[in-house]
Amino acid sequence: LGTPGVLHFCIARTGRRWSPGAARRVSLDAAMSQKSTGQSTARKPAGVVADLSSCRYGVVHHAALSLGWRVADEGSEDWDVQWLDKNVIAQRVLRLAPWQRINHFVGMDAVSSKPNLVRTLRRLPPGQEVSPQAWLLPGEASAFAAALRSNPLKGGKTFIVKPEAECQGRGIFLARRPEDVPRGKLEGGSFVAQQYVERPLLLGGHKFDLRVYVLVTSAAPLRVFLFDDGLVRLCASPYRKPHSSNLATATVHLTNFAINRHAEAPAAEAADGTAGSAAGAHAAGAAGAT
């Protein structure tokens, strides 16, 4: 769902052979709507055709070809699977033939967009919050600035700020006081600021995150297929609690592979006394992800 490798992981290796006929068994309101308007529901010939004209990720093209799929000509509507890098609008789904599938649900940007995810989480009932306090910038800049000003120098909170439209760790910074915000950094863009989790779960003394790959075939009723393998991303530098001396050290706080791939990774000693190497873990993760 927006991650380049999901097509290969979730369709090629779910243990079932994907085909237009198999996809037809997954109900779609759009398909029913097309039947009612008289659109043809004739079955396509065997073989999967993928429209990748709106996909810039080479790994998706590689995955499709490795499955024996044929890539459709640009502009052609004769395809079974379409991969879009951006969200899909409802009108596009309503034009789908019964056998056609797109890699997005309408409205999935309610959780895939950083600001929209904050808005969605704010709708949870009191007492069911699952994420730290957040501010949407620039709209809530005054409230966020007040939180920075009132933050004590010792024992205070740390905040992480992320740009809305960036990826791979670009534009992210940590702050504890107003002077920690780079001059002009928040001008002319949309950001999400959030209280930073200062005591994360560590792996070998390093901060890490987990990526779990799923294929969602239906939202109502919810139907999710979990892929057997996942991905672990590790910070190259051992974790240290946020301090003015390390706020700008991205390899301590950010797990993005693009940030850590070229960093030196000293061995870290885990809580149980065993030694672990972030460099070795990165190499193993990279080998498993190819």
Side-chain angles (χ1 to χ4, degrees), residues 225-241:
F225 294 86
L226 174 65
F227 184 58
D228 291 336
D229 297 340
L231 185 66
V232 180
R233 302 188 304 175
L234 287 139
C235 285
S237 302
Y239 181 74
R240 296 291 182 267
K241 189 174 180 179

Side-chain angles (χ1 to χ4, degrees), residues 76-289:
S76 172
E77 290 295 323
D78 183 22
W79 49 264
D80 305 294
V81 176
Q82 184 180 57
W83 189 277
L84 304 175
D85 291 345
K86 298 183 178 180
N87 295 320
V88 62
I89 60 176
Q91 289 83 350
R92 184 69 187 92
V93 174
L94 292 175
R95 295 200 302 269
L96 289 177
W99 60 83
Q100 292 180 322
R101 293 295 178 269
I102 297 182
N103 65 314
H104 293 298
F105 281 96
V106 175
M108 66 172 292
D109 59 334
V111 294
S112 62
S113 159
K114 296 183 186 76
N116 287 347
L117 178 58
V118 171
R119 297 184 183 99
T120 300
L121 292 174
R122 285 177 175 177
R123 297 167 58 187
L124 292 174
Q128 298 185 18
E129 296 85 357
V130 295
S131 65
Q133 184 178 6
W135 296 263
L136 301 178
L137 310 177
E140 299 171 354
S142 297
F144 179 57
L148 288 173
R149 288 193 300 269
S150 62
N151 198 35
L153 292 175
K154 292 185 178 181
K157 301 175 181 178
T158 303
F159 305 93
I160 185 168
V161 183
K162 298 183 178 184
E164 174 186 358
E166 289 289 357
C167 60
Q168 298 183 339
R170 290 190 292 265
I172 299 177
F173 65 92
L174 272 63
R176 296 174 63 87
R177 299 287 297 171
E179 55 268 24
D180 295 329
V181 179
R183 184 180 297 274
K185 185 72 172 182
L186 301 180
E187 296 178 1
S190 176
F191 296 80
V192 171
Q194 194 169 37
Q195 183 178 337
Y196 185 66
V197 178
E198 297 188 9
R199 298 181 59 188
L201 184 65
L202 303 179
L203 182 62
H206 293 251
K207 186 177 177 181
F208 72 100
D209 66 17
L210 300 176
R211 286 201 167 186
V212 179
Y213 295 93
V214 299
L215 173 66
V216 182
T217 60
S218 174
L222 182 61
R223 186 179 297 112
V224 180
F225 294 86
L226 174 65
F227 184 58
D228 291 336
D229 297 340
L231 185 66
V232 180
R233 302 188 304 175
L234 287 139
C235 285
S237 302
Y239 181 74
R240 296 291 182 267
K241 189 174 180 179
H243 185 270
S244 58
S245 62
N246 66 31
L247 289 180
T249 309
T251 55
V252 171
H253 301 289
L254 305 182
T255 59
N256 304 81
F257 184 69
I259 290 176
N260 293 280
R261 63 184 302 180
H262 297 302
E264 293 185 4
E269 186 169 311
D272 60 1
T274 60
S277 168
H282 273 300

